[in-house]
């Protein structure tokens, strides 16, 4: 048999290759087909997308040690990932007016990545308005901690 570190290392290496292919496809889609990320800092979006993939990978690998068959593990992992995705959607849209709950839920896998996606999209399309007019916020490292943006430009 293989040593444990070599066993898990090969799985992480294999899935890292799959993740890289997935990231390339996502960037082709989000830059060329549906240009959603044109004004988003590439490094910031790459960190968020990479964390999303690796978080799911680590969650699945962790859960797989509790099952004897791959079928039971796959069914359970799919259920957990769908449930966490639903929780993330609820956290982003239903509970966004409760900051304490958002903070607590940010420690839950998948939910925190969905919150990060939501923040990147809001910063990308959001504007800040004052007496001098409205200004595009943009998603970059300088605007990472902006907590209030308007989605509609009221400067007309």
């Amino acid at each position: 048999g293989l040593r444990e570190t070599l066993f898990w290392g090969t799985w992480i290496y294999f899935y890292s290759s799959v993740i890289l292919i997935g990231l390339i496809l996502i960037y082709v889609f989000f830059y060329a087909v549906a240009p959603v990320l044109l004004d988003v800092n590439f490094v910031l979006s790459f960190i968020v997308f990479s964390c999303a993939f690796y978080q799911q990978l680590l969650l699945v690998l962790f859960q797989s040690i509790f099952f004897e068959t791959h079928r039971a593990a796959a069914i359970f992992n799919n259920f957990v990932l769908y449930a966490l995705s639903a929780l993330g959607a609820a956290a982003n849209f239903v509970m966004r007016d409760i900051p304490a709950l958002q903070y607590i839920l940010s420690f839950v896998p998948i939910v925190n990545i969905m919150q990060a996606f939501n923040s990147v999209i809001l910063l990308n399309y959001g504007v800040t308005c004052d007496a001098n007019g409205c200004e595009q916020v943009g998603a970059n490292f300088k605007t990472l901690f902006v907590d209030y943006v308007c989605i509609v430009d009221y400067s007309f």
Side-chain angles (χ1 to χ4, degrees), residues 53-93:
F53 278 115
Y54 278 108
Q55 190 176 63
Q56 289 182 23
L57 172 64
L58 293 175
L59 185 65
V60 168
L61 290 177
F62 171 73
Q63 292 172 2
S64 69
I65 63 174
F66 297 110
F67 296 94
E68 294 294 324
T69 64
H70 72 280
R71 185 178 182 147
I75 290 170
F76 182 77
N77 286 326
N78 283 333
F79 175 74
V80 168
L81 290 176
Y82 284 129
L84 289 174
S85 296
L87 181 63
N92 278 330
F93 298 108

Side-chain angles (χ1 to χ4, degrees), residues 71-138:
R71 185 178 182 147
I75 290 170
F76 182 77
N77 286 326
N78 283 333
F79 175 74
V80 168
L81 290 176
Y82 284 129
L84 289 174
S85 296
L87 181 63
N92 278 330
F93 298 108
V94 176
M95 300 176 232
R96 64 179 157 202
D97 296 328
I98 309 169
L101 187 58
Q102 285 286 342
Y103 179 75
I104 291 168
L105 288 176
S106 69
F107 292 103
V108 177
I110 311 302
V111 176
N112 52 15
I113 294 298
M114 291 183 78
Q115 289 174 333
F117 286 147
N118 189 36
S119 297
V120 165
I121 296 301
L122 282 176
L123 287 174
N124 187 36
Y125 292 108
V127 294
T128 56
C129 298
D130 58 11
N132 298 327
C134 295
E135 179 180 322
Q136 186 77 28
V137 176

